[in-house]
Amino acid sequence: MSSLKVKLGILAAGLMLSGCMQATHFEATDTKAFKPKDKELLAKVRYENTPVAEPFRRAIVEYHRKESPGSIVVDSDNHYLYYVLDGGKAIRYGITVGEEAMAWSGIAKVGSMTEWPAWHPTPGEISRLGVPTYVAPGPDNPMGSRAMYLYSGGKDTLFRIHGTNQPEYIGASISSGCIRLTNEDAIDLYGRVKVGTIVVVLEPKHGDSPYNSRLALGAGGTGQAGSY
């Protein structure tokens, strides 16, 4: 999928959904929660910090599924990650997800967590993307500001929830299978979860349609190790 097609798709989704989102309570980034290192490195980013389309901005929404508060639910079909709150609410984050052939679904736990992680690309990624064998932590690292590593059955699934240096693709399916948030949203989510947090990645077609769903529209009607 070309970058132009991806960007046009995100724009189209934003236009179609924007009229249905008026009652959603959007959450601004609280920079007071950033650590000194976060402020230092985010001030050095060289990528264009493209604003996220409104339907994919962080928001507090109504949540009708039955997952327990404190758990994470990933709706890859609609490019949303939910952190479940008490009282039938959730924090909804817009995400980039894997292309269909590389996507992963299932139930996992956060097995480990890292601030400003290094990236160790797999041989397949090195060949396919032309990247080096190691990328040091920092603002230009594709793993971004935070990484939460997903484990299942006590073993690393080789998939992660992490930040990104390509915020323009939030709302698209382009990654190698991992779940990307903006660096600011990754910091916010990281501060809420802990090792052992349950993560449910819904199977394709098992998410809620963004055109007729409380989960997708919110309140008021509205692989591999180091992969990214």
Side-chain angles (χ1 to χ4, degrees), residues 7-212:
K7 292 176 182 178
L8 289 175
I10 296 171
L11 176 61
L15 292 173
M16 286 188 288
L17 293 175
S18 59
C20 303
M21 304 291 288
Q22 299 306 314
T24 299
H25 177 64
F26 293 110
E27 286 282 291
T29 297
D30 181 9
T31 57
K32 295 192 297 295
F34 289 0
K35 296 181 179 181
K37 185 176 181 179
D38 296 330
K39 295 178 180 179
E40 175 190 353
L41 294 180
L42 289 174
K44 296 178 180 179
V45 300
R46 292 186 291 182
Y47 59 82
E48 183 177 355
N49 203 359
T50 306
V52 174
E54 183 172 293
F56 302 110
R57 286 167 49 194
R58 187 195 321 163
I60 303 292
V61 299
E62 300 288 342
Y63 187 79
H64 73 283
R65 294 177 59 91
K66 303 302 182 183
E67 286 81 15
S68 299
S71 59
I72 291 171
V73 178
V74 178
D75 180 355
S76 299
D77 285 344
N78 295 299
H79 302 94
Y80 290 132
L81 179 150
Y82 295 85
Y83 179 76
V84 183
L85 303 173
D86 290 311
K89 301 284 187 179
I91 303 174
R92 187 191 65 205
Y93 304 84
I95 56 174
T96 304
V97 298
E99 295 171 331
E100 185 173 355
M102 299 180 179
W104 177 84
S105 61
I107 299 176
K109 292 183 178 180
V110 174
S112 62
M113 305 168 63
T114 305
E115 299 184 11
W116 294 99
W119 181 37
H120 301 270
T122 65
E125 288 171 334
I126 294 169
S127 175
R128 179 165 50 87
L129 302 174
V131 293
T133 58
Y134 171 82
V135 180
D140 297 320
N141 188 311
M143 295 289 287
S145 59
R146 300 288 191 273
M148 289 149 271
Y149 301 83
L150 304 188
Y151 283 62
S152 181
K155 297 181 179 180
D156 190 349
T157 66
L158 306 180
F159 288 93
R160 291 84 174 84
I161 299 170
H162 63 81
T164 183
N165 59 4
Q166 294 180 304
E168 67 271 24
Y169 292 128
I170 296 295
S173 303
I174 65 163
S175 74
S176 297
C178 289
I179 300 155
R180 306 185 202 173
L181 304 94
T182 65
N183 282 325
E184 293 78 9
D185 281 355
I187 292 171
D188 182 83
L189 178 64
Y190 189 98
R192 300 176 189 276
V193 307
K194 59 186 179 181
V195 171
T197 292
I198 296 294
V199 181
V200 179
V201 181
L202 300 176
E203 297 177 12
K205 312 303 182 186
H206 282 65
D208 292 288
S209 166
Y211 305 108
N212 185 24

